[in-house]
Amino acid sequence: MRNDYYVNSKDYINRWVVSYADFVTMLLALFMVMYAVLRIDNQKLTQFQNKMQQTFSSQDVANVTKHQADFNSAKVEKILNENISQSKSIKLLKSDKGLIIRVNNTMLFDEGSSTIKMDAEKTLNEISKVLTKIDNPVIIEGHTDSVPIKNLKFPSNWELSTARATNIISYLMKRGKISPKRLCAVGYGEYMPVADNTSVSGRNLNRRVDIIVLEK
């Protein structure tokens, strides 16, 4: 009897080991879960840090690029102002595209013609010299007034304005030695007016060639 009691008592006393083992197992599982959660958060934090670094690096690059563009624009504007004499027929303007050398068609061409006048060569030579001092791309835009034109050579103002722009490019390449890779010709006809076509003075302003020095 005493031996049975002793055995039963011993089993009862050792039951705490099972509970303790269960408790330790639960703690271990809890620690593992906490570690896993912490590791995930660290990964997310690392990703966030990398994203922020990329963002600020991009902003820095954008700021530097803008600063360089502003500097280049000011440099080009200074060169143009120092080397091109402005008059009623030649104007220097700023636009979203870049800097515009606006030349009135009356100086460059006879009415209804795309052949460059001999008197205009001096002006184009001055412009060529300026363009050789910079390496910006250049767009030559031809514009007319709204008075219709229709002949065997030019069925409309589209063809006339495009031919004028193209002839200016040819002159800049041949006489000014400007690289054709920098040049582009566009003809707008009467569809990009800067003044009212119902008046003589307005039509005079609309008949023009815009030599646009683009931002880099």
Side-chain angles (χ1 to χ4, degrees):
M1 183 75 177
R2 291 180 61 184
N3 290 338
D4 293 340
Y5 175 79
Y6 176 76
V7 172
N8 292 336
S9 298
K10 185 176 181 180
D11 291 341
Y12 177 79
I13 292 173
N14 290 336
R15 286 178 183 174
W16 69 272
V17 176
V18 177
S19 300
Y20 178 75
D22 291 340
F23 177 71
V24 171
T25 302
M26 291 177 62
L27 281 178
L28 180 60
L30 177 62
F31 289 144
M32 291 179 66
V33 171
M34 291 177 64
Y35 176 76
V37 171
L38 180 62
R39 185 173 179 83
I40 292 174
D41 289 343
N42 284 336
Q43 290 175 346
K44 289 183 178 179
L45 179 61
T46 302
Q47 293 174 356
F48 175 76
Q49 290 174 337
N50 292 337
K51 188 67 175 178
M52 291 296 291
Q53 289 176 354
Q54 292 174 1
T55 300
F56 284 113
S57 297
S58 300
Q59 289 177 350
D60 292 340
V61 171
N63 290 336
V64 171
T65 303
K66 184 178 183 300
H67 174 73
Q68 291 174 339
D70 291 341
F71 174 77
N72 183 67
S73 176
K75 180 181 177 182
V76 172
E77 184 177 5
K78 181 180 178 182
I79 292 174
L80 292 177
N81 281 317
E82 289 177 350
N83 293 272
I84 295 179
S85 302
Q86 297 193 58
S87 63
K88 290 183 178 180
S89 299
I90 302 177
K91 298 292 183 183
L92 295 179
L93 307 168
K94 290 183 179 180
S95 74
D96 294 337
K97 296 179 182 179
L99 298 169
I100 301 175
I101 306 170
R102 178 163 291 170
V103 187
N104 191 276
N105 273 346
T106 306
M107 171 184 283
L108 297 172
F109 309 101
D110 288 325
E111 184 177 353
S113 171
S114 63
T115 302
I116 298 173
K117 291 181 178 180
M118 290 187 64
D119 294 342
E121 293 184 1
K122 180 180 178 181
T123 299
L124 292 177
N125 289 339
E126 290 181 0
I127 294 174
S128 297
K129 290 179 182 179
V130 174
L131 296 181
T132 58
K133 295 180 181 181
I134 56 179
D135 57 0
N136 300 57
V138 179
I139 295 179
I140 314 297
E141 294 184 350
H143 300 269
T144 68
D145 59 25
S146 61
V147 178
I149 182 173
K150 188 174 182 180
N151 54 42
L152 294 177
K153 192 172 184 179
F154 303 116
S156 72
N157 283 323
W158 284 108
E159 286 81 6
L160 176 61
S161 62
T162 303
R164 286 175 170 175
T166 303
N167 286 346
I168 295 294
I169 279 187
S170 296
Y171 188 94
L172 295 177
M173 287 192 300
K174 293 176 182 178
R175 300 287 186 90
K177 306 300 181 184
I178 307 298
S179 171
K181 294 181 180 180
R182 294 175 53 196
L183 302 174
C184 175
V186 182
Y188 285 106
E190 69 265 31
Y191 298 104
M192 294 285 285
V194 293
D196 189 355
N197 271 307
T198 59
S199 66
V200 174
S201 59
R203 289 193 294 272
N204 285 335
L205 292 175
N206 290 331
R207 293 192 298 267
R208 69 195 190 278
V209 170
D210 285 345
I211 301 174
I212 305 176
V213 181
L214 299 179
E215 294 287 1
K216 274 195 170 183

